[in-house]
Amino acid sequence: MEQQNQNQKPRLSPKDFFLYVGLVVTLLVSSVSLLNLVFESINSIFPDRLDYYADPYSGAIRIAIASLFIIFPIYIFISWLIKKDAKMFPEKLSLGVRKWLIYLTLFIAGAAVIIDLIVLINTFLGGEITTRFILKVLSVIVIAGGVFSYYFYDLKDRSEKMFKWWVVATSAVVALSLVLGFYVMGSPLTQRLKRMDAERINSLTQVQWQIINYWQKKGELPKDINELNDPISGFIIPIDPETGMPYQYEAVDNQVFKLCANFSLESVGNSTTPAKLPYISPESENWSHKAGKNCFERKIDQELYPVRKP
């Protein structure tokens, strides 16, 4: 009777099914987030001037970091639960769902390595910077190749020692990548200061165009910035997002005026510092600034902005 029970196939419980599905999902999300984090960090550290755009707020890095902070610990926890359960009930290692999902993981990891390498080589042949290409290839090999290798050997070697080494190795790689991401992106406070400076530039741009519009309508510059308030059109003088104070305006002469603001950080692409980002919009360059108070002098070209006749 006991031998008959030993020969019985292990039964799949709902708990086992969802644990293994959760394992695969969290593993894939963690791997993709880790690759995205490393790739975006490499792109920022080694900028390419041929890139048309780079996110000034590191949005892709933020998403990758947030995903790793939440999903990766869940992956480790689920892996631990499965190992603990398998230690108590070794017959569960023969579950069909386990083998199916592990082979699915191997297939996805192998396909990811092949596809990523094809994309990287294609990009390299199109003129990708050699350093970025080499680092991205190494990242794919380490991350996707590591996942493939571990689960390939896990089908044969189910020792707890190998599992502990896997947890330590993956945690170290994720931790180093998070440090790299914060180094490139900066702290949450830095991100907030960048957004405040961007808001200041946006506000100064609006004020500048309202001044030009005022000039074209009246043939003179406003004596005070409050003259630009227009309740009919709905324009209200913007204020500094941090201090709540209005921006400084000065009419130098009939065609020249100054706009001043206090910035939190030095702008990317300022002539005194090399730009980290490969792309800077003309509007950003037009408002290039250092940290602290900056004044921008503008002269109205009468040929470009003629006074409109009544």
Side-chain angles (χ1 to χ4, degrees):
M1 189 72 165
E2 292 180 0
Q3 186 176 3
Q4 185 177 1
N5 291 334
Q6 290 177 356
N7 292 332
Q8 287 181 352
K9 292 184 178 180
R11 296 179 61 183
L12 175 66
S13 68
K15 172 188 172 183
D16 296 324
F17 175 79
F18 285 107
L19 276 179
Y20 279 106
V21 170
L23 178 72
V24 172
V25 171
T26 53
L27 172 63
L28 294 178
V29 173
S30 298
S31 301
V32 171
S33 299
L34 184 58
L35 269 177
N36 286 340
L37 174 58
V38 174
F39 276 24
E40 291 296 327
S41 299
I42 291 172
N43 289 341
S44 295
I45 295 173
F46 302 97
D48 187 350
R49 292 289 174 180
L50 294 179
D51 287 348
Y52 294 107
Y53 175 75
D55 181 7
Y57 307 113
S58 307
I61 294 179
R62 292 205 317 271
I63 293 174
I65 289 177
S67 299
L68 287 173
F69 262 120
I70 302 300
I71 303 299
F72 180 71
I74 295 176
Y75 162 72
I76 295 297
F77 179 68
I78 293 176
S79 300
W80 176 78
L81 286 179
I82 291 175
K83 281 292 179 182
K84 180 183 176 182
D85 204 37
K87 190 176 181 180
M88 296 176 61
F89 307 99
E91 65 274 10
K92 288 191 175 184
L93 293 173
S94 301
L95 285 171
V97 67
R98 174 181 179 270
K99 294 181 179 179
W100 271 97
L101 290 176
I102 287 180
Y103 278 116
L104 175 63
T105 302
L106 292 175
F107 173 78
I108 294 175
V113 172
I114 295 172
I115 293 172
D116 283 346
L117 290 178
I118 291 174
V119 172
L120 289 173
I121 292 174
N122 176 65
T123 308
F124 173 72
L125 295 176
E128 171 81 314
I129 296 176
T130 306
T131 305
R132 297 205 321 185
F133 168 73
I134 294 174
L135 291 175
K136 288 179 180 179
V137 169
L138 290 175
S139 301
V140 171
I141 293 174
V142 170
I143 297 171
V147 171
F148 183 92
S149 300
Y150 171 73
Y151 282 98
F152 179 79
Y153 286 106
D154 187 57
L155 288 170
K156 303 175 183 178
D157 182 6
R158 300 159 184 168
S159 66
E160 194 166 337
K161 184 178 180 181
M162 189 179 75
F163 173 70
K164 289 181 179 179
W165 275 107
W166 170 250
V167 171
V168 171
T170 53
S171 299
V173 171
V174 169
L176 289 173
S177 301
L178 290 174
V179 171
L180 179 64
F182 277 114
Y183 168 76
V184 172
M185 181 185 70
S187 66
L189 175 60
T190 301
Q191 289 295 306
R192 182 170 180 80
L193 294 178
K194 287 181 179 180
R195 292 174 59 191
M196 283 187 177
D197 283 348
E199 181 63 27
R200 291 181 178 107
I201 290 176
N202 181 58
S203 297
L204 291 176
T205 302
Q206 293 182 41
V207 173
Q208 177 176 271
W209 281 112
Q210 287 297 322
I211 292 173
I212 293 174
N213 186 51
Y214 187 99
W215 154 266
Q216 288 186 301
K217 288 181 177 179
K218 299 190 176 183
E220 62 179 8
L221 294 174
K223 296 179 177 60
D224 186 87
I225 193 171
N226 291 317
E227 294 182 36
L228 298 176
N229 282 317
D230 189 346
I232 296 178
S233 66
F235 180 78
I236 300 175
I237 301 296
I239 57 176
D240 187 278
E242 185 175 16
T243 64
M245 301 296 292
Y247 297 99
Q248 297 180 26
Y249 162 79
E250 178 187 355
V252 179
D253 60 30
N254 191 41
Q255 294 174 245
V256 179
F257 64 91
K258 285 183 180 180
L259 287 174
C260 302
N262 283 295
F263 291 91
S264 302
L265 302 171
E266 187 173 21
S267 63
V268 175
N270 191 292
S271 58
T272 60
T273 58
K276 272 190 176 182
L277 299 179
Y279 174 79
I280 306 168
S281 68
E283 181 178 279
S284 298
E285 285 188 331
N286 200 33
W287 300 99
S288 179
H289 58 81
K290 297 181 180 179
K293 184 176 180 178
N294 290 257
C295 290
F296 306 93
E297 186 172 285
R298 302 287 191 253
K299 182 177 181 179
I300 297 179
D301 189 329
Q302 296 188 61
E303 293 183 0
L304 292 176
Y305 306 102
V307 177
R308 301 184 189 128
K309 296 181 181 180

